[in-house]
Amino acid sequence: MDWTPIEKKWRQRWDDEKQFQSDPDERKKFFVTVAYPYPNSPQHIGHGRTYTLADVHARFMRMSGYNVLFPMGFHYTGTPILGMARRVQENDTGLIDAFKTLYKVPEEKIKEFSEPVKIADYFHQEIKAGMIEMGYSIDWRREFTTIDPFYNRFIEWQFKKLKEKGLVIQGTHPVGWCPKDQNPVSQHDTLGDIEPSFTEYTVIKFKYGSYVLPTATLRPETIFGVTNLWVNPNVNYEIAKVDNEEWIISSECATKLGFLNKKITKTGNISGAELVGKKVKIPERDDEVYILPATFVESGSGTGVVMSVPAHAPFDYQALDDLKKEASKHPNIPSLADIKPISIIETEGYGEIPAKDVIEKLGITNQEDPKLEEATKELYSKEFYGGRLRQNTGRFAHKVVADAKEEVKKWILDNGNADTLYELNEGVVKCRCGAECVVKLLDNQWFLDYSNPEWKEKAHSWINEMKILPEEIRNEFNHVVDWLKERACARQHGLGTKLPWDKNWIIESLSDSVIYMAYYTIVKYVNAGEIKPDNISDSFFDYIFLEKGDLEKVSSEYNIPKEKLESVKKEFQYYYPVNARHSGRDLVPNHLTFFIFNHLAIFPKKYWPEEIVVNGSVLMDGKKMSKSMGNIIPLRDAIRTHGADSIRLAILISAELLQDADFNQEAVRGIKNKLENMLDDAVKYKAANEASLAQEDRWMYSRLQQLIAKATVSIQKMRLREALHYILYEFDSDVQWYLKRAEAKNRADQAGILHKVFSTRVAMLSPFAPYVAEEAWSRLGNQGLASKSPWPVSDEAKIDLVSVQSEDLLKATLDDIKNIIKVTKITPKKMTIYTAAAWKVKAYQKILTQVTGGDVNIGTIIKSLIADSETAEIKKDPDFVKKTVNDILSESQDSRDSKNKVGAVDETEALLELGSLIKSEYGVDLQVFSETDLAKYDPKNKARTARPYKPAILIE
RNA sequence: GCGGGAGUUGCCAAGCCUGGUCAAAGGCGCAGGGCUUAGGACCCUGUCUUUUAGGAGUUCGUGGGUUCAAAUCCCACCUCCCGCACCA
């Protein structure tokens, strides 16, 4: 079946009725937003999840009577698009092929892609078209991009506010950096998409005469165990003036230091071999050690000089051992044999010289052995978490290594005997431009000061107050607030808004997207041409958002009529705060937390966001979606093959909020079939006058009320999978039972009832599968639109508990009959059912009351029953009590309560209903007797085993 | 390391918050039947073990505990997944 025409038809209707356009009115409002997309590719099914969740939320609230605003914008800010444009300019075939085959971009469009904005514009339209096709109930009059001039004014205003409050600060920060592009690099900017991560090393300055021989280490605390330095004799070292000292370092190191803002002047060279045998002074220790040769030392790593701690560093131990073996080759080092490892860390499970232990364990015999890496890793982590410094480490003695490391580092740094070096972890990382990346210390970088303690405190307290779904995310937010530090908020390249006070910087993408929800409430006026963005500046936003300033003045300043200005302000005040912000899980540690922080900083409390709803990601056939796996399905392709509603349901039904949703073809097919069946059914049940209600009709209506109640609660908690489960599946099994009952009775008058039932269901399905719901709604013969119908309200009064109990009794008895037939394998000829005697019913009611009251002691129950003349007959059958108590205990609280409320049900009457079912299913007649009926047919003496809700059965 | 999540019957996956309706939804697979020229689709029945009367037994990562009652609550352990930044 082709959904396209159906989707088109209803989309047109919604559009004609301007259903999703929201303007302030007298109703209560509900403002729901989703993070706007970054348009550097078409959206795929994974992107659809958050939007679909938000759309269901919006549609549900709309049907519940709220004036719902659900807007959408496009986030052009950022650098990846710049990178893409550059690759197009360079004729990167990999990317261009992806555009052609994967994204199906027309050839002539790709040609324009050398201009970044064209890429954004193209995918912007592509994504928007997909959103419309998916049926998202968005008010498109409020659309914008983050490079629109009016938006730029808005962001400038935001940053000035933050700066006024002292939340924007300047500082120095290390970043991964491309020397050619003169720009920080992120994962998107590198060849092979490697995240350029780096580690901070402590550089310890050893003195060689007037020179400094610096060594880079991760373990400054081991300075107490240094026995020598290592240089590579084959390396030609540089002598360079570094700031005011003369350092001997590898040339690679000199380059690195240059990016770390050191002033480097080369003054000469010295070979490693020349240094061998010389002595250096160890800082903080009144001691001198030799410089020795080692081949494992690489000039590209650290400073090219290594401090040797043989007791705790396997490389050092092995190199020293190797050297001693050929001591004769080094006559200029007289006392090589005297160099002994100095043990300074005590760790459980290791002896005096831990490095020796590890080396022997792994069978390492020389310094070229690659297993040395493994040895180093093992020992480092064991000593770091479990080791303590020994007596010979002065005031650090007995401290655990993890703590001592930081203290020793600070101590040496404070004494001017150390420095800091950053080193890329992955070795060589190449920028997309081909240049090798480095770590650069950026000066005068602008930061948002998320480490500000008052700001943090405010964020914590609001996080604890606001609604967060699912609840477990609340902790995560609090944790993020704790570890969040200053965050760079400006870059030197990329699309976006310039920093208002320093136009060399562009405000970074995660910082210009934190309060834009407010912008939705006013951008409508700019899009309609009622406000000209050109000369807008701060006093405008102050007036609208903060109610600061004078109406008269602002009006004349911007040449906006006073009434217009007032209605802009009123619109903001009507819609704000955001009632629900939907987002993927990945945005918790960044965007969503910033969103909270910034709202708290800029707006008064009444405008702080009310609720955040976080969802997991989408898997494709159980696997993560990725370009390299080739399992990315563009959303619009999927809509064409499966239909929008099937996709919406498949995404929603496969997982609850936080779980990853698995999108698989089979599930979609199943859903599609279900929807098609629903449409077929819809035409069968037109509105009709109902006959007087039979038992099963009352039951069906009761179940409907219960389902409405359950589904509504589930949606309110955003447990959409659960809600769909009720609306789609539980509902179905109820209808099936109903049809079975009605058909067994050969009824022909149930269409009117089913029409009502199905219409209610279709209305409830409408937020989830809007197109199918509209189509089914009209096929059922209903007027208007399903999406405009009010959300069904459960009416307690329509629940007939007796009919619910009776039908349950029928189902249970039918199950028992089936069971008996299965076990005995007999072909039934005749069936007889016996209901329990009156005294048993009384006893049952009493037991029920007692058990509900918490008394499950069989002895006391029996006593009290015997004491009562109505139930004294229990003496004859004491086993009855035990069985009944078990019956009751194995029931749910709900069912017990309802039995309590209903009192005794006339089982004989109820079970007579079974006759038609038995006849149609087994083709035999059913007789129902009371246990006490003297004229009953009971050849096998079964009747006496009857219990309330558990009639005796005889099958012959 | 810090923080978060998960482990359920052949597979996927609900149930856990709020203990009892749980041998545990639904889907897939498998078996039998129906429909069909055939295939597909669709419909019915079955699918832990055992049982010729609706019963019993053993299961929800492992080991304890609480309770009349535990997949569900508590404690410990094992295993797996995700995030840890200047990037959308």
Side-chain angles (χ1 to χ4, degrees), chain A residues 489-542:
Chain A
C489 60
R491 302 187 127 225
Q492 289 180 321
H493 294 272
L495 298 175
T497 306
K498 287 184 176 147
L499 206 57
W501 57 84
D502 186 348
K503 302 280 186 190
N504 292 321
W505 294 90
I506 288 161
I507 294 166
E508 168 273 342
S509 58
L510 279 170
S511 305
D512 81 343
S513 58
V514 286
I515 60 162
Y516 68 89
M517 311 78 204
Y519 184 81
Y520 283 126
T521 67
I522 62 169
V523 67
K524 185 182 94 182
Y525 294 92
V526 177
N527 289 349
E530 292 172 327
I531 294 177
K532 300 272 175 269
D534 321 324
N535 62 343
I536 293 290
S537 76
D538 302 340
S539 58
F540 173 82
F541 296 108
D542 276 345

Side-chain angles (χ1 to χ4, degrees), chain A residues 13 777-778 781-786 789:
Chain A
R13 270 293 288 282
W777 184 259
S778 88
N782 290 306
Q783 297 301 307
L785 290 165
S789 68

Side-chain angles (χ1 to χ4, degrees), chain A residues 576-592:
Chain A
Y576 240 54
V578 170
N579 297 97
R581 175 89 177 147
H582 283 256
S583 161
R585 215 194 163 155
D586 49 336
L587 298 186
V588 170
N590 41 68
H591 165 76
L592 285 172

Side-chain angles (χ1 to χ4, degrees), chain A residues 528-628:
Chain A
E530 292 172 327
I531 294 177
K532 300 272 175 269
D534 321 324
N535 62 343
I536 293 290
S537 76
D538 302 340
S539 58
F540 173 82
F541 296 108
D542 276 345
Y543 184 75
I544 302 295
F545 294 138
L546 303 176
E547 269 190 291
K548 279 188 193 159
D550 177 54
L551 173 63
E552 204 79 44
K553 265 174 76 181
V554 178
S555 162
S556 66
E557 187 182 349
Y558 300 111
N559 199 18
I560 302 170
K562 277 186 279 184
E563 315 77 64
K564 188 54 67 185
L565 208 52
E566 280 307 89
S567 60
V568 176
K569 189 177 83 182
K570 286 223 178 81
E571 180 140 358
F572 165 72
Q573 293 177 341
Y574 175 75
Y575 283 116
Y576 240 54
V578 170
N579 297 97
R581 175 89 177 147
H582 283 256
S583 161
R585 215 194 163 155
D586 49 336
L587 298 186
V588 170
N590 41 68
H591 165 76
L592 285 172
T593 307
F594 302 155
F595 160 70
I596 297 170
F597 263 106
N598 283 271
H599 270 84
L600 269 46
I602 289 176
F603 294 105
K605 189 165 185 179
K606 61 181 172 181
Y607 295 138
W608 293 356
E610 234 169 50
E611 179 182 30
I612 287 179
V613 184
V614 175
N615 62 267
S617 62
V618 178
L619 304 176
M620 180 61 67
D621 289 318
K623 295 194 192 84
K624 224 176 152 173
M625 277 186 236
S626 72
K627 252 185 244 170
S628 58

Side-chain angles (χ1 to χ4, degrees), chain A residues 30-38 43 46-59 68-75 127 131 136-140 142 144 146 151 513-518 520 578-587 591-592 595 611-616 718:
Chain A
F30 193 81
F31 184 15
V32 51
T33 69
V34 195
Y36 47 23
Y38 183 67
Q43 56 190 347
H47 295 117
R49 185 162 182 205
T50 312
Y51 300 124
T52 304
L53 279 159
D55 186 53
V56 174
H57 201 180
R59 285 173 173 274
V68 173
L69 174 59
F70 179 28
M72 190 61 64
F74 291 85
H75 198 195
I127 292 169
M131 288 177 166
Y136 297 150
S137 55
I138 292 167
D139 181 353
W140 288 107
R142 298 166 189 272
F144 65 89
T146 61
Y151 193 79
S513 58
V514 286
I515 60 162
Y516 68 89
M517 311 78 204
Y520 283 126
V578 170
N579 297 97
R581 175 89 177 147
H582 283 256
S583 161
R585 215 194 163 155
D586 49 336
L587 298 186
H591 165 76
L592 285 172
F595 160 70
E611 179 182 30
I612 287 179
V613 184
V614 175
N615 62 267
M718 274 286 121

Side-chain angles (χ1 to χ4, degrees), chain A residues 695 698-703 706 798-811 898 902 905:
Chain A
Q695 150 70 19
R698 290 194 299 273
W699 174 82
M700 189 69 238
Y701 277 149
S702 302
R703 287 293 300 161
Q706 291 174 332
K798 285 189 188 152
I799 299 177
D800 174 8
L801 288 177
V802 175
S803 74
V804 173
Q805 286 300 333
S806 303
E807 291 297 311
D808 281 352
L809 177 63
L810 292 192
K811 284 187 195 173
S898 111
V902 168
V905 169

Side-chain angles (χ1 to χ4, degrees), chain A residues 114-172:
Chain A
S114 51
E115 206 182 315
V117 178
K118 295 279 184 193
I119 299 179
D121 282 342
Y122 178 83
F123 290 118
H124 170 173
Q125 294 311 326
E126 177 74 17
I127 292 169
K128 181 180 175 184
M131 288 177 166
I132 291 172
E133 285 167 6
M134 279 294 273
Y136 297 150
S137 55
I138 292 167
D139 181 353
W140 288 107
R141 296 172 307 156
R142 298 166 189 272
E143 182 187 355
F144 65 89
T145 85
T146 61
I147 58 169
D148 296 347
F150 189 49
Y151 193 79
N152 296 149
R153 301 291 91 75
F154 170 67
I155 296 301
E156 285 165 12
W157 173 80
Q158 174 199 338
F159 265 74
K160 283 184 200 161
K161 287 285 151 227
L162 292 171
K163 189 140 186 281
E164 276 168 26
K165 291 171 197 276
L167 298 172
V168 185
I169 54 172
Q170 251 186 327
T172 304

